[in-house]
Amino acid sequence: MVDGKRVAIVVPAYDEESLVVQTLAGIPDFVDRVYVVDDASRDATAERADATGDPRVEVIRHERNCGVGAAIVSGYRRALEEEVDVTCVMAADNQMDPAELRGLVEPVARGELEYAKANRLFSGEAWEVIPRSRYLGNAILSLLTKIASGYWHVADSQAGYTALSLDALGRLDLERLYPRYGFPNDMLVHLNVQNARVRDVPSRPIYGVGERSDIRLHAVVPRISWLLLKGFWWRMTQKYVIRDFHPLVFFYGFGLLATLAGLALGVVEVALRIAGNEITTPTIVLVAVLVIAGLQLTLFAMWFDMEANKDLR
């Protein structure tokens, strides 16, 4: 327990037999429950977790591989059943420092916020420790997640080391959450719709402990980018149209239309010029006005979104 609140950890695991025991051994004593969710591993991950002898550990098995997000949701459902006050997520690959767990749990246990997440980019060593391709991919997805989720103060969107309050967990539609690698990004979008307070907690990046990754950035970044685009418009509709109205939806809508119209007209004019036709000055001015107006409207919409969410930290 922390501040009188029960604490659980969800440990999603897939083919982690070499590291899961070491990960579980490091979980602090103040944690009351540990849900190891074996996502249909092909190795002895579940057996190794079962054999730890730790009475806090419960192994939940998936019959088929559903993805890391689905594994986390299975753990969340168990925490809801047991009405655990604070539910954390820690990967099974020993890349998350258990000494940092209290820093994630305490502000949630005290009711200061609903969701705390690790941020490995606070540290100046992140650029040196994290593989460059993953660092750059994370940076791109973090920027897109800021726009999609409305949490402009949050970075390192791919960090899965988190703590969530029971109240916020109970209000989430777990069926809608993305079941695979983009889960942390989608989670932020859904939390923003319920106006949950979210805060980053500094975390030390850990690599080179025997972990392995099957992530291919050339496939993951486009897929999550598409997920975030859909999440962005879903959040706009839910938060600023259905649940409450805010004029920023008009700024985003007209900004997008003006920008696309300007770019489309520009492409047409360039094609006509290549074909030997003359481009008139008024047409060039119209293209410039449309693009500039579109960008200005979009930037105003972003500013409105920042103002609307400035207290959610």
Side-chain angles (χ1 to χ4, degrees):
M1 284 192 170
V2 172
D3 290 342
K5 302 295 178 63
R6 296 177 68 224
V7 179
I9 289 187
V10 179
V11 183
Y14 177 68
D15 288 355
E16 294 289 358
E17 65 176 4
S18 62
L19 292 170
V20 67
V21 174
Q22 188 176 353
T23 300
L24 296 178
I27 293 177
D29 293 339
F30 64 77
V31 175
D32 302 281
R33 298 284 282 133
V34 180
Y35 309 119
V36 178
V37 185
D38 176 52
D39 196 25
S41 295
R42 299 162 297 183
D43 62 10
T45 297
E47 290 75 12
R48 296 281 178 87
D50 254 336
T52 59
D54 188 335
R56 302 174 299 173
V57 174
E58 175 182 342
V59 179
I60 302 169
R61 291 175 170 85
H62 284 179
E63 293 301 319
R64 61 183 180 83
N65 183 265
C66 301
V68 62
I72 293 170
V73 166
S74 291
Y76 278 165
R77 291 189 191 282
R78 190 73 182 104
L80 273 174
E81 290 174 3
E82 297 192 339
E83 297 185 343
V84 179
D85 299 294
V86 182
T87 305
C88 307
V89 176
M90 175 187 285
D93 58 7
N94 206 35
Q95 281 191 270
M96 298 172 179
D97 186 354
E100 297 172 351
L101 185 61
R102 184 175 287 274
L104 288 167
V105 172
E106 284 183 340
V108 179
R110 290 194 297 261
E112 295 175 9
L113 57 151
E114 282 73 48
Y115 190 65
K117 58 174 288 296
N119 185 341
R120 298 161 296 181
L121 306 183
F122 274 139
S123 168
E125 63 180 324
W127 176 251
E128 301 298 331
V129 175
I130 300 176
R132 296 299 165 81
S133 59
R134 297 195 66 173
Y135 185 99
L136 293 174
N138 189 341
I140 293 169
L141 292 175
S142 288
L143 174 60
L144 295 177
T145 302
K146 286 174 181 285
I147 298 170
S149 71
Y151 288 117
W152 298 87
H153 62 283
V154 168
D156 194 9
S157 59
Q158 304 316 111
Y161 200 9
T162 63
L164 177 68
S165 73
L166 178 60
D167 180 60
L169 177 55
R171 286 184 279 131
L172 283 173
D173 183 354
L174 297 178
E175 292 291 336
R176 286 191 58 93
L177 292 173
Y178 189 66
R180 297 198 176 272
Y181 182 69
F183 177 87
N185 314 78
D186 197 39
M187 180 77 165
L188 288 170
V189 173
H190 283 258
L191 286 170
N192 187 266
V193 169
Q194 61 168 261
N195 291 317
R197 293 163 296 172
V198 175
R199 186 183 304 165
D200 275 344
V201 176
S203 177
R204 178 173 64 93
I206 300 174
Y207 283 84
V209 293
E211 78 284 351
R212 60 176 184 79
S213 175
D214 296 323
I215 297 169
R216 299 293 178 264
L217 290 177
H218 66 274
V220 166
V221 171
R223 186 169 68 244
I224 297 181
S225 298
W226 175 243
L227 170 71
L228 289 172
L229 178 62
K230 293 187 295 182
F232 169 78
W233 289 113
W234 177 79
R235 181 174 70 89
M236 290 294 109
T237 303
Q238 288 290 320
K239 185 166 184 172
Y240 297 125
V241 177
I242 295 175
R243 303 186 184 209
D244 195 7
F245 179 76
H246 196 294
L248 70 83
V249 293
F250 290 126
F251 281 82
Y252 265 127
F254 289 134
L256 178 64
L257 288 175
T259 302
L260 291 178
L263 292 175
L265 181 58
V267 169
V268 170
E269 291 303 318
V270 169
L272 290 174
R273 183 68 183 89
I274 293 174
N277 296 284
E278 182 180 355
I279 300 177
T280 63
T281 300
T283 302
I284 296 173
V285 171
L286 178 59
V287 170
V289 167
L290 284 172
V291 172
I292 292 172
L295 292 176
Q296 286 180 327
L297 287 169
T298 301
L299 290 173
F300 272 121
M302 289 181 177
W303 181 74
F304 280 135
D305 200 23
M306 290 179 188
E307 286 295 302
N309 292 288
K310 66 181 180 181
D311 295 326
L312 302 183
R313 62 177 71 194

